[in-house]
């Protein structure tokens, strides 16, 4: 979670109380009946304008300004909203943020209402009974079993709709999460509207490497992290002589996108950037995940949700499952990691090398598991935002 916003909610209770109280009272004097509806949208803890929430925000701004005023909630510690001129951007935790929340007809969040839309919401959610709250999700569920924190319970109960990418996800949220069927809607993921489906590359020239995070790494010291299987496996890939020679001899660029939680260990990764071997680390102040997905031909990952985008696009995926047993024991997955993966599975660094060699030798530029795409994704028509707006807002 965003440390900045968590600290605001935890250490400034008096400020939050005063803002919430004043905003609640003032909101009673507003009437929205004759004007456009108000929708608050947020994702990625307010730290960037990416993913399902931002795509849906853009859609409303571009298509429904007469019916809806769509606001974007951003972390005030960032400057992307100003630099990118995000329309109707409102800083999280501000008085205006709380006032708009009490006035809002709708909210849409990608991760959590608490961090994407309105800080400390779990403490005063009972004051707002009018707003229709929708969870648009971050990625298709499956790789990670849900972890419900104490503060999440009232938020989950209060949420009116949970968007689903497919019948598969609908059944997962119904049966595994225990969400009532009347709260589940299948409209597809907004972020898939960014792409035409089934767009395999002509050749392998760029590989995107993205490894997700494990919550049990949070409290490790620097020394402990550097000895972790996670770090050693990630570094091992970049140091492997065979992989480096494959990159160099085939003119392939390896772009590494570090998880945001790895920021404090960045100094231990960056020395491995090597222009001679085409190894570089992405700076998301200069580029975006969306652009990286479009520009790269192959994904090398563990269990990141970006893999669903590569499946949608019919691009090859290598799943590096270096800690499958530990991950299964500590967190667990709804997918069978031996049978349900939609890409090449590699358990060791040497396996990754052999898989890359095989793909290059056989000129594989499509996803051989693309036939499984419609098991997890129902819509390929770029109308997911339209369906979501119609189902929840009637516009």
């Amino acid at each position: 979670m965003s440390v900045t916003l968590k600290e605001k909610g935890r250490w400034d209770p008096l400020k939050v109380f005063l803002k919430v109280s004043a905003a609640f009272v003032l909101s009673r004097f507003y009437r929205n009946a004759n004007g456009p509806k108000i929708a608050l949208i947020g994702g990625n803890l307010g730290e960037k304008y990416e993913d399902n929430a931002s795509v849906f925000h853009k859609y409303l701004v571009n298509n429904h300004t007469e019916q809806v005023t769509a606001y974007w909630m951003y972390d005030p510690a960032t400057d992307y909203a100003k630099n990118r001129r995000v329309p109707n951007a409102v800083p999280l935790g501000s008085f205006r943020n709380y006032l708009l929340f009490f006035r809002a007809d709708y909210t849409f969040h990608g991760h959590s209402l608490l961090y994407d839309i309105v800080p400390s919401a779990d403490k005063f959610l009972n004051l707002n009974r009018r707003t229709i709250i929708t969870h648009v999700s971050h990625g298709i569920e499956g790789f990670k079993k849900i972890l419900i924190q104490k503060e999440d319970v009232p938020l989950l109960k209060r949420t009116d709709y949970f968007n689903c990418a497919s019948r598969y996800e609908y059944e997962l949220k119904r049966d595994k999460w225990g969400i009532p069927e009347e709260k589940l809607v299948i409209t597809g993921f907004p972020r898939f509207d960014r792409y035409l489906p089934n767009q395999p590359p002509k050749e392998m020239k760029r590989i995107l490497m993205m490894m997700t995070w494990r919550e049990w790494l949070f409290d490790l010291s620097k020394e402990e992290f550097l000895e972790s299987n996670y770090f050693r496996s990630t570094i091992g890939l970049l140091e492997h002589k065979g992989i480096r020679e494959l990159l160099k001899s085939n003119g392939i660029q390896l772009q590494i996108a570090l998880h945001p939680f790895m920021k404090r260990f960045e100094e231990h990764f960056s020395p491995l950037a090597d222009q001679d071997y085409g190894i570089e680390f992405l700076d998301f102040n200069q580029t975006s995940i969306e652009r990286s997905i479009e520009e790269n031909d192959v994904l090398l990952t563990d269990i990141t949700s970006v893999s669903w985008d590569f499946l949608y696009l019919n691009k090859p995926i290598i799943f590096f499952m270096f800690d499958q047993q530990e991950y299964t024991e500590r967190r667990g997955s709804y997918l069978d990691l031996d049978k349900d993966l939609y890409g090449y599975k590699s358990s060791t660094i040497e396996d990754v090398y052999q898989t890359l060699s095989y793909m290059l030798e056989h000129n594989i530029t499509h996803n051989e598991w693309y036939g499984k795409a419609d098991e997890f994704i129902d819509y390929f028509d770029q109308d997911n935002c339209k369906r979501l707006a119609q189902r929840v807002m009637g516009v």
Side-chain angles (χ1 to χ4, degrees):
M1 293 298 180
S2 170
V3 175
T4 304
L5 294 176
K6 286 186 77 173
E7 287 180 348
K8 284 180 182 176
R10 182 181 297 168
W11 302 115
D12 296 338
L14 180 58
K15 289 183 180 179
V16 172
F17 173 77
L18 293 174
K19 289 179 183 178
V20 169
S21 300
F24 176 72
V25 172
L26 187 58
S27 69
R28 304 300 94 185
F29 294 94
Y30 281 91
R31 295 290 182 269
N32 301 332
N34 298 322
K37 300 291 186 180
I38 293 176
L40 309 190
I41 305 170
N44 292 105
L45 317 183
E47 294 173 351
K48 51 189 174 180
Y49 195 58
E50 285 271 8
D51 214 348
N52 289 312
S54 70
V55 175
F56 188 58
H57 178 255
K58 291 176 188 175
Y59 169 80
L60 292 179
V61 169
N62 292 333
N63 296 278
H64 294 290
T65 53
E66 292 185 3
Q67 302 102 321
V68 182
T69 301
Y71 294 91
W72 178 259
M73 306 294 105
Y74 72 94
D75 186 338
T78 65
D79 55 12
Y80 71 87
K82 179 181 179 181
N83 293 342
R84 297 180 60 179
R85 299 182 181 179
V86 176
N88 304 327
V90 177
L92 283 161
S94 65
F95 175 74
R96 190 183 183 204
N97 177 201
Y98 291 112
L99 178 60
L100 282 170
F101 177 67
F102 287 119
R103 295 181 58 205
D105 299 282
Y106 309 96
T107 67
F108 297 85
H109 61 272
H111 287 75
S112 167
L113 181 78
L114 185 64
Y115 298 105
D116 291 343
I117 302 295
V118 53
S120 302
D122 56 315
K123 298 177 176 62
F124 58 83
L125 203 54
N126 62 316
L127 295 177
N128 184 339
R129 295 293 179 182
R130 68 182 302 274
T131 303
I132 295 173
I133 298 172
T134 301
H135 179 229
V136 296
S137 197
H138 165 58
I140 297 176
E141 302 297 339
F143 282 113
K144 295 181 179 181
K145 287 190 175 180
I146 189 173
L147 290 179
I148 300 178
Q149 307 296 330
K150 182 179 179 181
E151 65 266 22
D152 295 328
V153 175
L155 305 177
L156 289 171
K157 288 183 177 180
R158 176 63 180 81
T159 300
D160 297 282
Y161 295 111
F162 293 81
N163 186 36
C164 304
S166 57
R167 184 71 190 183
Y168 154 80
E169 199 178 38
Y170 176 100
E171 292 176 354
L172 187 155
K173 291 178 178 177
R174 178 193 65 193
D175 301 337
K176 303 298 184 181
W177 289 19
I179 305 297
E181 285 194 279
E182 62 270 17
K183 291 189 173 187
L184 296 171
V185 295
I186 305 174
T187 66
F189 271 10
R191 81 189 202 195
F192 290 157
D193 286 355
R194 301 182 298 194
Y195 324 111
L196 288 170
N198 194 9
Q199 299 292 310
K202 295 180 180 179
E203 58 182 341
M204 187 197 304
K205 284 300 177 185
R206 285 188 175 184
I207 300 174
L208 176 63
M209 178 176 168
M210 291 187 72
M211 311 297 282
T212 192
W213 191 248
R214 281 93 169 120
E215 58 273 6
W216 54 88
L217 299 175
F218 272 118
D219 297 326
L220 296 185
S221 65
K222 182 177 74 173
E223 292 72 23
E224 290 171 330
F225 177 76
L226 296 181
E227 291 299 318
S228 69
N229 187 19
Y230 181 93
F231 178 76
R232 295 169 74 90
S233 297
T234 304
I235 290 295
L237 278 176
L238 305 181
E239 293 179 329
H240 190 277
K241 291 183 179 179
I243 292 176
R244 291 168 70 90
E245 284 302 323
L246 281 179
L247 296 175
K248 186 174 183 178
S249 61
N250 290 278
I252 296 173
Q253 191 173 26
L254 178 62
Q255 298 188 331
I256 302 115
L258 292 178
H259 192 280
F261 291 143
M262 280 201 276
K263 196 71 177 175
R264 64 191 178 111
F265 303 114
E266 189 173 15
E267 63 181 294
H268 302 289
F269 290 95
S270 53
L272 289 171
D274 192 328
Q275 192 172 10
D276 290 340
Y277 290 93
I279 300 174
E280 68 168 324
F281 289 85
L282 293 176
D283 179 359
F284 284 121
N285 291 320
Q286 305 297 325
T287 186
S288 66
I289 294 177
E290 174 186 357
R291 185 174 169 186
S292 298
I293 292 170
E294 291 176 332
E295 293 181 348
N296 280 275
D297 308 312
V298 177
L299 176 67
L300 172 57
T301 188
D302 47 2
I303 50 172
T304 178
S305 69
V306 168
S307 62
W308 299 109
D309 299 71
F310 275 74
L311 177 64
Y312 182 88
L313 290 165
N314 193 7
K315 292 184 177 184
I317 305 168
I318 300 173
F319 288 101
F320 181 32
M321 309 301 292
F322 60 90
D323 66 345
Q324 180 176 336
Q325 182 176 347
E326 180 184 24
Y327 180 83
T328 301
E329 292 173 354
R330 285 178 175 261
R331 180 67 182 263
S333 172
Y334 297 116
L335 295 174
D336 186 325
L337 299 180
D338 291 318
K339 299 178 180 179
D340 296 337
L341 296 180
Y342 37 90
Y344 299 101
K345 179 182 175 182
S346 298
S347 299
T348 66
I349 296 171
E350 187 63 25
D351 287 344
V352 174
Y353 167 64
Q354 294 297 336
T355 299
L356 272 175
S357 300
Y358 170 83
M359 293 172 66
L360 287 165
E361 181 182 350
H362 293 84
N363 192 32
I364 293 175
T365 58
H366 66 283
N367 190 310
E368 295 193 67
W369 291 262
Y370 185 65
K372 295 169 68 95
D374 59 7
E375 295 179 20
F376 304 106
I377 303 168
D378 279 8
Y379 301 107
F380 297 81
D381 57 6
Q382 296 180 288
D383 282 333
N384 297 324
C385 287
K386 181 178 179 180
R387 270 186 295 272
L388 180 60
Q390 288 177 338
R391 179 62 179 83
V392 176
M393 311 168 75
V395 299

